[in-house]
Amino acid sequence: MPHPWWVRGDHRPFVGRQEELTLLRSRARTAAAGRGGVVLVTGPAGIGKTRLVEEALREGARPPTSPPAGASAAVQVGRGYSLPDHAAPALWPWQQALRALARRGGRPARISSAVDLLEGAGSCDAPGDAASAAAVRFAALAAVADAVLTAAAEPLVIVLEDLHWADTNTVELVRQVAGGIVDSHLLLIATMRAEAGDVMRELSRLDSVNAVPLRPLAAAAVRDYLTALDPAASTAARAEQVARRSGGLPLLLDAAASDAAAPEPVVVRDLVEALLAQLPEPARRVVQVAALLRSPMDTDVVGQVAEVDGSTAGLALDAACRAGLLTPATSWGGVEGLGFAFTHDPAG
């Protein structure tokens, strides 16, 4: 599945995550061999959750032995992305991931069945009373989970990004899939930030789930990063300074290394600039315009000021949320989740 236009490739050195990388690759091999599982990759914006997953799947998501007769040698990967937008339909990350798998082929009937059930689960009319509605919802999601696990009779990887923004149905389907995943060839990977603590704790109680919290990089890892960029300029003292200034956040290493001798930590302005640099140019221009407006910002207003259509403005603001620049907020009209506010003051 090609990445959405707002997800940019990261060619910076990848350091300091060998233990986490080994665990993810081990889980990929175990799942390919017939014992599926769930991995939750957690940490703040800029800590490198998506990069870790990409590195693990680049070499780790492949069967350890020859595939069964008639099976594909390549492990299929489907990705879905939660949006900080209440307008997104229920189960949207699952819809993206399964539709991507259906387009790639290999087991179209099984995946198509899961997609059909998923679309039905997201739009089914439930009875009026709460108990009956919950029972209908549970049964619909259980049917989807069963179809997903049936499709994983061969090695399969599903990645759900930004689970902290997911709707309750998406999280419930993760829970249901996790309940039966050990008897499948499915590896389910979810990334999330710390604000999804309740979801993370609940899922982590399941035997099939491994939590992989990402912590700031140590000075030794920062030195490896600097060495990869310029061996002649990498010293233990400089690595200590860069680690201190960046707080060990991979996203800020370049900003911190630009003036490692400075006594103060990287300031909010540096953080905002580093986060902004992750965005493609069209989104960057929209967010720069948004910085001139009073928070919370409505998508339509930002689009009008930036002279782009509402759809483009919405994608740009969603991209900024993914990067950690913005957070969903109550709009000026009083609608929760339809406005945006800066996580950090851009002028800080």
Side-chain angles (χ1 to χ4, degrees):
M1 170 185 174
H3 289 303
W5 63 270
W6 60 79
V7 179
R8 301 181 66 194
D10 193 340
H11 302 295
R12 293 175 299 172
F14 182 73
V15 300
R17 302 293 188 211
Q18 191 57 49
E19 181 179 345
E20 295 87 349
L21 188 64
T22 298
L23 188 150
L24 262 175
R25 288 179 174 171
S26 173
R27 293 303 297 122
R29 290 191 293 269
T30 301
R35 184 173 177 80
V38 181
V39 178
L40 304 180
V41 182
T42 65
I47 201 69
K49 300 182 292 295
T50 296
R51 179 72 186 278
L52 172 66
V53 173
E54 291 298 327
E55 292 294 330
L57 295 183
R58 181 169 293 127
E59 298 181 9
R62 56 183 62 169
T65 59
S66 298
S72 172
V75 177
Q76 297 184 37
V77 180
R79 292 179 175 85
Y81 303 83
S82 300
L83 300 176
D85 185 351
H86 288 196
L91 299 162
W92 180 240
W94 282 102
Q95 290 186 41
Q96 289 180 301
L98 294 181
R99 287 171 180 165
L101 289 169
R103 288 194 298 270
R104 294 174 76 95
R107 63 200 88 175
R110 292 173 178 173
I111 295 295
S112 295
S113 174
V115 171
D116 291 343
L117 288 168
L118 185 67
E119 292 176 348
S123 60
C124 64
D125 294 324
D129 62 286
S132 297
V136 169
R137 172 172 164 265
F138 181 90
L141 294 177
V144 177
D146 185 64
V148 170
L149 295 173
T150 298
E154 299 170 18
L156 188 68
V157 177
I158 292 177
V159 180
L160 303 179
E161 295 269 14
D162 298 324
L163 203 62
H164 48 277
W165 284 324
D167 61 281
T168 56
N169 285 338
T170 290
V171 176
E172 176 59 26
L173 185 51
V174 171
R175 188 182 298 109
Q176 296 226 24
V177 168
I181 201 170
V182 292
D183 295 321
S184 74
H185 291 76
L186 173 64
L187 175 62
L188 174 59
I189 303 173
T191 67
M192 66 181 73
R193 295 184 193 165
E195 55 259 42
D198 290 343
V199 172
M200 183 180 67
R201 283 189 292 272
E202 184 177 353
L203 293 174
S204 295
R205 296 191 186 104
L206 300 174
D207 293 338
S208 60
V209 176
N210 290 102
V212 181
L214 297 187
R215 296 179 174 84
L217 295 176
V222 173
R223 186 173 186 183
D224 290 340
Y225 181 93
L226 297 174
T227 300
L229 295 177
D230 183 1
S234 177
T235 65
R238 185 166 187 260
E240 289 282 356
Q241 292 170 328
V242 173
R244 172 180 49 78
R245 292 200 71 223
S246 66
L249 194 68
L251 180 65
L252 294 183
L253 290 181
D254 291 336
S258 64
D259 187 10
E264 74 280 357
V266 176
V267 297
V268 170
R269 183 186 300 276
D270 296 320
L271 174 59
V272 171
E273 289 177 354
L275 292 169
L276 192 62
Q278 294 186 109
L279 304 181
E281 181 59 30
R284 202 176 307 157
R285 289 197 301 271
V286 172
V287 175
Q288 288 168 336
V289 168
L292 303 176
L293 304 177
R294 181 181 176 186
S295 293
M297 301 154 284
D298 288 348
T299 303
D300 290 342
V301 173
V302 173
Q304 291 171 11
V305 176
E307 298 182 339
V308 298
D309 58 69
S311 176
T312 299
L315 285 173
L317 296 177
D318 283 343
C321 280
R322 292 180 184 285
L325 269 169
L326 297 176
T327 185
T330 300
S331 69
W332 282 110
V335 181
E336 183 180 354
L338 291 187
F340 295 88
F342 276 91
T343 307
H344 307 276
D345 181 359

